[in-house]
Amino acid sequence: MKQQDAAQVTAGGITFYIRPFPAFKSVNLFGQLTKTIAPVAGGLLALIEGTGNEQNIFDLNLKDAAPALAGAVSELSGSTVEALMRQLLVDYGNVAYDDPETGNTMKLTMDKANELFCGEVQDMFVLAMEVVKLNYNGFFKKLAARFGSA
């Protein structure tokens, strides 16, 4: 995928368009992402290894992963999660959406994200996971295949 190519996803009934991060921004953000998800990575990788199939983190059933995710989230501060979400969704201008009011495709801003996800914050996490999948899917798949639960 090229930097200007956009993947189309739906979250909360809204169509979003996600472009990959530039390479160096991706590396920078990967550091933040790794620090944030490190507490849960071991548990998720163990779940992948236990399936006997070649999978990656994004192939997991959320129900199976919920205990590991709950444990990881309890270790995070709200400001850490908010900063990561801002970086994934608005800071780099990599997410656009079809505005339900105007029908126009617009760049996702902090104000619009607050409006779109107010009362439906789970949809913001769904969108953030799509951004992570687009940018790092191959990395996590290769990591799980190489190291398993280690």
Side-chain angles (χ1 to χ4, degrees), residues 10-141:
T10 302
I14 298 170
T15 302
F16 291 91
Y17 305 93
I18 305 167
R19 288 185 298 113
F21 295 118
F24 286 99
K25 289 289 183 198
S26 183
V27 170
N28 179 292
L29 188 53
F30 185 73
Q32 296 297 323
L33 187 63
T34 302
K35 186 168 61 172
T36 304
I37 66 167
V40 74
L44 292 178
L45 290 174
L47 287 173
I48 292 168
E49 187 177 63
T51 65
N53 300 324
E54 183 167 326
Q55 292 185 316
N56 68 33
I57 288 172
F58 305 112
D59 294 330
L60 286 175
N61 180 325
L62 195 55
K63 190 181 208 180
D64 296 338
L69 290 172
V73 172
S74 70
E75 300 292 320
L76 300 175
S77 73
S79 58
T80 299
V81 175
E82 180 185 351
L84 181 61
M85 295 298 276
R86 247 188 280 139
Q87 287 180 312
L88 288 170
L89 301 179
V90 298
D91 285 357
Y92 303 123
N94 59 303
V95 178
Y97 67 100
D98 287 339
D99 189 330
E101 295 173 8
T102 66
N104 295 329
T105 301
M106 310 287 289
K107 191 176 286 188
L108 186 63
T109 64
M110 179 76 105
D111 289 338
K112 197 59 181 184
N114 282 329
E115 183 181 324
L116 291 173
F117 299 116
C118 182
E120 301 293 337
V121 74
Q122 72 278 0
D123 293 332
M124 185 167 60
F125 282 94
V126 168
L127 180 59
M129 284 304 297
E130 292 293 340
V131 172
V132 171
K133 279 172 61 173
L134 178 77
N135 285 280
Y136 305 107
N137 191 26
F139 180 85
F140 287 112
K141 189 173 189 172

